[in-house]
Amino acid sequence: MGEHHPATTPQEAQALAERVAAAMYARDQASQAMGMKIAAVGPGCAELTMTVRTDMLNGHAICHGGFIFTLADSAFAFACNSYNLTTVASGCAIDFVAPAREGDVLAAVAHERSVSGRTGVYDIEVKNQHGQTVALFRGKSYRIKGHVVEAL
């Protein structure tokens, strides 16, 4: 898991993922400004929620796709950094499959699909409060040097 301080048990890996997420969220002004909350995090996975506000609506009175993309991208970031190895996006794609409306509570659930060397692939599904899929997002990650938090 970590290059220098590997988590050796599932409990240690979970604790590390939670510590990394807390540190990242504290510095993540964009996610905070959009009202995102961390619902869950674990090794290679994360769930973030966001309520669609009036100022997120486009000219069709539905949630602007950029906000849905950002929610999915943030869930992706928390999932791929959960091992405390600084990781960034190298590419992302999204398919919008249903509209999100004002007041909808969206949940973006990210799952690691593959990690090999410095690269990874993550799938993120965005659903509304009724369980309807709003968007499907795939992110490709690239690990760079460094750690998100200092080792304990």
Side-chain angles (χ1 to χ4, degrees):
M1 310 233 178
E3 289 175 324
H4 304 297
H5 304 282
T8 56
T9 69
Q11 294 82 6
E12 289 172 335
Q14 180 64 34
L16 179 61
E18 290 173 5
R19 198 160 65 88
V20 168
M24 284 180 59
Y25 187 80
R27 298 188 295 251
D28 188 343
Q29 297 299 310
S31 294
Q32 289 180 39
M34 290 175 58
M36 292 181 203
K37 303 287 183 209
I38 300 170
V41 67
C45 61
E47 179 179 350
L48 269 64
T49 61
M50 178 185 79
T51 300
V52 178
R53 303 183 312 230
T54 304
D55 62 348
M56 296 175 171
L57 302 180
N58 64 18
H60 300 294
I62 59 176
C63 186
H64 189 292
F67 289 105
I68 297 167
F69 183 99
T70 304
L71 173 64
D73 189 37
S74 289
F76 168 45
F78 283 94
C80 68
N81 280 279
S82 62
Y83 302 110
N84 197 31
L85 301 171
T86 303
T87 305
V88 296
S90 65
C92 305
I94 193 165
D95 292 298
F96 300 105
V97 297
R101 304 191 183 282
E102 183 177 359
D104 280 352
V105 178
L106 303 180
V109 180
H111 292 285
E112 181 178 277
R113 296 295 180 215
S114 173
V115 174
S116 179
R118 292 183 174 270
T119 63
V121 176
Y122 292 77
D123 285 331
I124 297 85
E125 184 173 11
V126 180
K127 292 185 174 189
N128 65 19
Q129 69 276 16
H130 305 295
Q132 181 182 27
T133 300
V134 171
L136 300 168
F137 175 109
R138 173 158 278 187
K140 296 177 184 176
S141 67
Y142 185 76
R143 184 169 41 89
I144 60 175
K145 292 182 180 178
H147 299 276
V148 179
V149 295
E150 293 299 319
L152 290 176

